[in-house]
Amino acid sequence: MGAIRFLPILLVVLTMTICGGAATSSTAAPPPVTEATLYEVAASLQMYVDELLQIPKLVGYSMQNGLTEPGNLTIGMFEKKWKFHPDLPPTTVFAYGTSAKEATIPGPLIEALRGVSTSVTWENHLPQKHIFSWDPTLIVAIPKNGGVPTVVHLHGGVHPPQEDGNPLAWFTSRYRETGSSWTQATYTYPNIQPAGNLWYHDHALGLTRVNVLAGLIGPYVVYDPKSEPLNLPSGSEFDRFLMVFDRSFLMNGSIYINSTGDNPSIHPQWQPEYFGDAIIVNGKAWPYLKVQRRKYRFRIINASNARYFNFSLSNGLPFVQLGSDSSYLNSPVQTQSILVGPSESADVVIDFSSSKTDDSVLTNSAPYPYPSGTAVDHLTGNVMKFIIASGNPSCPDNSKIPSTLVKHPAATTKDAVKTRYIALYEYDSASGNPTHSYINAKSFLDPVTETPRSGTTEVWEVINLTPDNHPLHIHLATFQAIKVQALVNLTTFSDCMTAKNDAIACNVTAYATGQLLNIPSYEKTWKNVVKIEPSYQTTVVVKFNMVDTNTPYPFNVTAAPGYIYHCHILDHEDNEMMRPLKLVL
Ligand SMILES: *[C@@H]1O[C@H](CO)[C@@H](O)[C@H](O)[C@H]1NC(C)=O
Ligand SMILES: *[C@@H]1O[C@H](CO)[C@@H](O)[C@H](O)[C@H]1NC(C)=O
Ligand SMILES: *[C@@H]1O[C@H](CO)[C@@H](O)[C@H](O)[C@H]1NC(C)=O
Ligand SMILES: *[C@@H]1O[C@H](CO)[C@@H](O)[C@H](O)[C@H]1NC(C)=O
Ligand SMILES: *[C@@H]1O[C@H](CO)[C@@H](O)[C@H](O)[C@H]1NC(C)=O
Ligand SMILES: *[C@@H]1O[C@H](CO)[C@@H](O)[C@H](O)[C@H]1NC(C)=O
Ligand SMILES: *[C@@H]1O[C@H](CO)[C@@H](O)[C@H](O)[C@H]1NC(C)=O
Ligand SMILES: *[C@@H]1O[C@H](CO)[C@@H](O)[C@H](O)[C@H]1NC(C)=O
Ligand SMILES: [Cu+2]
């Protein structure tokens, strides 16, 4: 999907005016939307004027007589107006919250305790009509009586299939219409997994990209005071979630998504990848945060539809990475830059006490599409600014980064009971534009083929025959890449795969013999997203059991509607880079 979406250098003289003077009449057609005008709107926003939003919290457990008890929450989805920047008119969004007034982008942080369940009743209060156009030619939820189909998935959560937010378990306002797999309004998350960072977001069939684009995302954390490292920077000032995504805006503040497909005669609206010109952190365009000269913990979640981020700090300060996705690393890793794909997260500490400057910009250098697309410029190359106080912190910094964090078992193929080949294909029209992508040449609705035994470990050889990197995400299970090796004589191999869709018949071991790629040490833990390089075979150890103890999941994993795995570029996931996953006993 190598289409270059906009001109990196704009020499266009823009003639937009906000009010249009006396010439404006109610019948005047709105000015045409072009890449240049969208870019200009983003470029007109001054960076670092809004302070970073403190995400509101909801406690997902209750305290009774000094004991922790399960918690019950009700969280709705509301249409409301949101200010992404003081100079941008209010934007109509969809947001999660306990009421329309309280709803925020991102939605509230749900704080859970390991071993104490959190029940959430997810309510849809959205209007009859979506704020974006969507594509009825995809495999998509289409309610007969209007409304916006939604369903919530807790990304990184270990929970029974009925609570997973299957794309076919969608529902509209007041559950008036529901998808074929819908069973219940309340999801109970058991929170039995080790401490880590999760997030919730919409997952409705064929609508995930537009529902998430509208704002349906929020963070979730599992704390485990019994076994997680303590003494790290803590408290809402020094330990923060940063949810980062990109959006394009029209002059009137509306979020822009191109609703002319790249193959309009096949899919009138669907485009292969959404990229926006403005970088949003916690619901504000390019915010700032005043920090003290001390350590801070940031749990960074990439909630973009398709944009990868390669973060670094402008004044050269390093990150000390503690975790990747929902898992801690066994030991902290110091790094100058961190590459995060869509839906990946990075848990880091930044120590501002050693800063030689009074500010530091969090920057991004990842080309888009990643890895071989357009270079970032000063808009998408900047994320947020830290303004560093002079002098010592007002309170002493007693936080410490321990030399070891957890003792999760290492990934090894020795544990594997089965090897599967997972091939990623992109299909193009005669004009060379992508029409859809499949995993193993199969539609999402084709019968399930991945049926691992609960409690086992498998090896998945993931073969990327497309030109793009894909963030592969698995529900319930965790996995990690242990080898990333280039495919030689790619055309011959690819032609064989296109004809046979059979890696063994196509003799993959003879082709997966090229250059080896380094796997960064900050990704060597049990992740829920693995980035899959184009033209490489990625060997992934997949664990269908509890991360820390290697024991089977303590609930019925075989129940309907099962789980799924998919590419987390939402535009790909909505156009069939997604397959069912059914565990068996
Ligand atoms: C914003 O502008 C677009 C394009 O001109 C128009 O389609 C849309 O209705 C406007 N939205 C609002 C809320 O005015
Ligand atoms: C929207 O997509 C169409 C089809 O790919 C393209 O021709 C048009 O330039 C795009 N518009 C913008 C503003 O990017
Ligand atoms: C929370 O919900 C559970 C199950 O839905 C119920 O058993 C429990 O009594 C509720 N607890 C509170 C404090 O309302
Ligand atoms: C990320 O950016 C840094 C420098 O800013 C560069 O050294 C590194 O190679 C980049 N990483 C990737 C994976 O592109
Ligand atoms: C952010 O997530 C999007 C979609 O899940 C992905 O395409 C993108 O590469 C990610 N960016 C970073 C920096 O991780
Ligand atoms: C790849 O191509 C080279 C050069 O044509 C050839 O020597 C080699 O046998 C080929 N390898 C495979 C696995 O087809
Ligand atoms: C597969 O490749 C291996 C190694 O190059 C070769 O020995 C073997 O004959 C090939 N098998 C087929 C069916 O092509
Ligand atoms: C688990 O779920 C399956 C499928 O719904 C059902 O047939 C089976 O009886 C359940 N097992 C237990 C132990 O509840
Ligand atoms: Cu993809």
Side-chain angles (χ1 to χ4, degrees), residues 279-436:
I279 303 293
I280 313 294
V281 186
N282 292 0
K284 299 289 172 188
W286 298 288
Y288 71 88
L289 177 66
K290 284 188 183 149
V291 294
Q292 300 174 22
R293 291 188 170 263
R294 53 160 288 150
K295 294 190 276 308
Y296 282 71
R297 179 175 187 175
F298 296 105
R299 306 171 191 243
I300 309 173
I301 297 178
N302 170 9
S304 297
N305 282 35
R307 183 177 293 279
Y308 286 62
F309 293 98
N310 180 5
F311 294 116
S312 34
L313 289 161
S314 62
N315 63 346
L317 284 179
F319 302 101
V320 177
Q321 190 159 349
L322 307 174
S324 182
D325 298 344
S326 51
S327 297
Y328 274 102
L329 292 156
N330 282 5
S331 308
V333 173
Q334 180 164 322
T335 176
Q336 292 298 129
S337 63
I338 302 170
L339 184 72
V340 276
S343 84
E344 274 190 295
S345 61
D347 193 338
V348 301
V349 169
I350 302 174
D351 187 350
F352 295 102
S353 68
S354 53
S355 176
K356 295 195 175 63
T357 58
D358 290 337
D359 59 44
S360 181
V361 175
L362 182 66
T363 62
N364 165 39
S365 65
Y368 62 97
Y370 187 80
S372 48
T374 312
V376 295
D377 62 4
H378 79 284
L379 294 187
T380 47
N382 290 305
V383 176
M384 66 176 286
K385 182 188 265 184
F386 297 106
I387 299 171
I388 305 163
S390 50
N392 290 323
S394 41
C395 322
D397 180 3
N398 296 323
S399 68
K400 281 209 171 52
I401 304 172
S403 57
T404 59
L405 297 164
V406 292
K407 286 203 170 64
H408 291 337
T412 153
T413 55
K414 277 194 229 105
D415 299 334
V417 299
K418 188 172 173 72
T419 297
R420 292 178 200 273
Y421 292 92
I422 308 288
L424 310 181
Y425 297 92
E426 172 185 312
Y427 304 91
D428 294 343
S429 64
S431 59
N433 291 320
T435 56
H436 63 293

Side-chain angles (χ1 to χ4, degrees), residues 126-139:
L126 297 173
Q128 277 296 99
K129 227 173 124 4
H130 209 293
I131 54 175
F132 301 128
S133 55
W134 45 277
D135 197 316
T137 64
L138 304 181
I139 308 268

Side-chain angles (χ1 to χ4, degrees), residues 27-47:
T27 54
V33 176
T34 64
E35 289 171 0
T37 56
L38 293 168
Y39 185 88
E40 188 61 21
V41 172
S44 74
L45 303 175
Q46 204 187 331
M47 292 180 182

Side-chain angles (χ1 to χ4, degrees), residues 50 64 67 91 110 127 179 217 231 336 354 367 379 401-402 509 520 585:
D50 263 320
Q64 262 148 39
L67 295 174
T91 304
I110 302 176
I217 58 165
N231 292 328
Q336 292 298 129
S354 53
L379 294 187
I401 304 172
T509 50
L585 294 179

Side-chain angles (χ1 to χ4, degrees), residues 220-254:
Y220 187 110
V221 61
V222 178
Y223 294 121
D224 182 5
K226 291 201 191 86
S227 70
E228 87 180 286
L230 301 172
N231 292 328
L232 287 163
S234 63
S236 43
E237 188 175 358
F238 305 123
D239 176 4
R240 291 170 180 251
F241 274 84
L242 304 178
M243 294 195 86
V244 187
F245 56 72
D246 55 335
R247 293 291 182 270
S248 279
F249 297 97
L250 299 174
M251 290 196 71
N252 63 12
S254 298

